[in-house]
């Protein structure tokens, strides 16, 4: 991975420290948002100085981007592994539900995305373009699957792929928010599955 | 309204100032969230001192509550006026869509609610109980309407009122978020209407 002169042990140490900082940043941003989540709090969680954080990530914005990129990369890898060799359609919707099920195991990340997605609606927010693009991508993915299902004659009558794609992504955002308030009462995965099942005539 | 000794002119002046502060607070909290939205910025918008703001509202938390209460009161009044004398059911769902249509006219308030609802998922947030209760209330309202429609045999086959109530509220949250990113492309009211129409067999 590195062609530098750092010894093997030192490289592993750096990677470990970067990973600790990313985890701490995810927790702090989830709790306070990006604007109000401080480098000081992140550094304190890791037990290093702010300068130590900046040595590894350059700036607070770089750190936020690294947190989001890491998470996206993990999600993409899982999604690709689960849909490998399968055509767009029901397999992709199933992999989408599986991804949401994985996320429920990490409530901190759901809170992070919920808080940042709302905070970043402000046009000047550093993550504004990221979230605008993320919505485009998610809706496009759902749309492609639903169009394929329509071609396979597997959509229920009256389902319009464009509307269904937008509202599937919307329903997930909204259910996760309800779940953050009432984790004991809201079954995000179950409700999402039911919503998808109401769109398609093949068992999910 | 007041039984105090303030002269009529002075009372009107106080009410006008309170209303200016509430408007400024709504704008600042929408842009920066509650945690990061400062009294200093609110005071500056009105052209008074922070002490001036606190003279009218006591504390930042009191000010937030006043902003939310004012908005809720307006919404409830409109909803009640539109559903007066009508039994629970389709009339209430129509009034709900009308309320959402009113809100689209005030993008700042949508941003305020989106940001605060996400920020207040943190258990210690001063608006946590407010938003937890607001979700309960909204979902309960939708549930009552959908149960009435089921009794009137006006739900489409396979629609379960509890699931439909949760996902209707969720879809609204999610669509408003998408709309804040792409106001030119997302038709919140149109998509919400379509979602409701897919639940009920009577024209919305």
């Amino acid at each position: 991975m590195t062609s530098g002169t750092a010894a093997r042990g030192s490289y592993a140490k750096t990677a470990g420290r970067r990973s600790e900082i990313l985890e701490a940043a995810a927790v702090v941003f989830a709790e306070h948002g990006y604007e109000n989540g401080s480098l000081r709090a992140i550094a304190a969680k890791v037990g290093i100085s702010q300068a130590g954080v900046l040595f590894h990530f350059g700036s607070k914005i770089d750190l936020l981007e690294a947190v989001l990129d890491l998470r996206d990369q993990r999600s993409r890898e899982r999604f690709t592994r689960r849909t490998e060799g399968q055509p767009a359609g029901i397999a992709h919707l199933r992999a989408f539900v599986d991804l949401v099920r994985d996320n429920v195991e990490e409530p901190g990340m759901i809170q992070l995305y919920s808080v940042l997605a709302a905070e970043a609606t402000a046009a000047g927010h550093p993550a504004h373009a990221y979230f605008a693009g993320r919505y485009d991508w998610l809706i496009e993915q759902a749309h492609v699957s639903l169009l394929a299902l329509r071609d396979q004659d597997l959509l229920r009558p009256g389902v319009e792929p464009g509307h269904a794609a937008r509202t599937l992504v919307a329903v997930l955002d909204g259910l996760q928010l309800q779940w953050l308030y009432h984790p004991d009462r809201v079954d995000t995965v179950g409700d999402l599955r039911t919503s998808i099942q109401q769109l398609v005539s093949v068992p999910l």
Side-chain angles (χ1 to χ4, degrees), chain A:
Chain A
M1 288 295 240
T2 174
S3 59
T5 54
R8 221 187 146 78
S10 157
Y11 172 69
K13 226 157 125 186
T14 298
R17 181 49 50 90
R18 281 179 64 92
S19 150
E20 276 171 34
I21 295 170
L22 285 173
E23 261 179 56
V27 171
V28 169
F29 290 151
E31 204 161 327
H32 304 288
Y34 170 77
E35 299 285 1
N36 213 40
S38 70
L39 282 181
R40 182 198 303 262
I42 294 165
K45 253 187 198 304
V46 183
I48 59 176
S49 66
Q50 289 188 59
V53 173
L54 293 174
F55 170 77
H56 288 280
F57 288 97
S59 72
K60 192 177 166 193
I61 294 177
D62 290 344
L63 181 54
L64 174 66
E65 278 173 6
V67 169
L68 299 175
D69 282 350
L70 177 67
R71 164 71 163 206
D72 280 354
Q73 191 189 320
R74 275 191 206 159
S75 295
R76 259 196 309 269
E77 279 169 11
R78 285 177 183 170
F79 190 85
T80 307
R81 202 166 53 239
R82 282 167 177 158
T83 54
E84 215 157 24
Q86 312 244 36
I90 195 70
H92 286 64
L93 291 184
R94 285 181 191 137
F96 173 60
V97 173
D98 287 339
L99 217 53
V100 173
R101 189 179 290 115
D102 294 341
N103 294 348
V104 169
E105 306 292 315
E106 292 183 90
M109 292 305 293
I110 294 183
Q111 188 165 11
L112 175 73
Y113 270 77
S114 297
V115 171
L116 285 181
E119 188 185 75
T121 53
H125 192 284
H128 184 80
Y130 169 84
F131 277 98
R134 186 167 182 269
Y135 279 112
D136 288 346
W137 186 83
L138 281 172
I139 292 168
E140 177 62 17
Q141 294 303 305
H143 197 197
V144 167
S145 295
L146 291 159
L147 285 172
L149 286 162
R150 187 180 62 183
D151 290 347
Q152 298 156 31
D153 212 16
L154 294 176
L155 287 191
R156 291 191 194 262
V159 172
E160 195 277 299
H163 171 265
R166 292 188 296 277
T167 52
L168 264 193
V169 172
V171 106
L172 175 59
D173 273 343
L175 286 175
Q176 288 186 332
L177 212 46
Q178 290 175 29
W179 177 77
L180 286 166
Y181 282 102
H182 298 298
D184 48 327
R185 262 195 276 154
V186 177
D187 175 8
T188 306
V189 176
D191 274 347
L192 182 69
R193 275 184 64 91
T194 304
S195 292
I196 296 178
Q197 193 61 80
Q198 286 173 345
L199 302 172
V200 301
S201 58
V202 66
L204 191 63

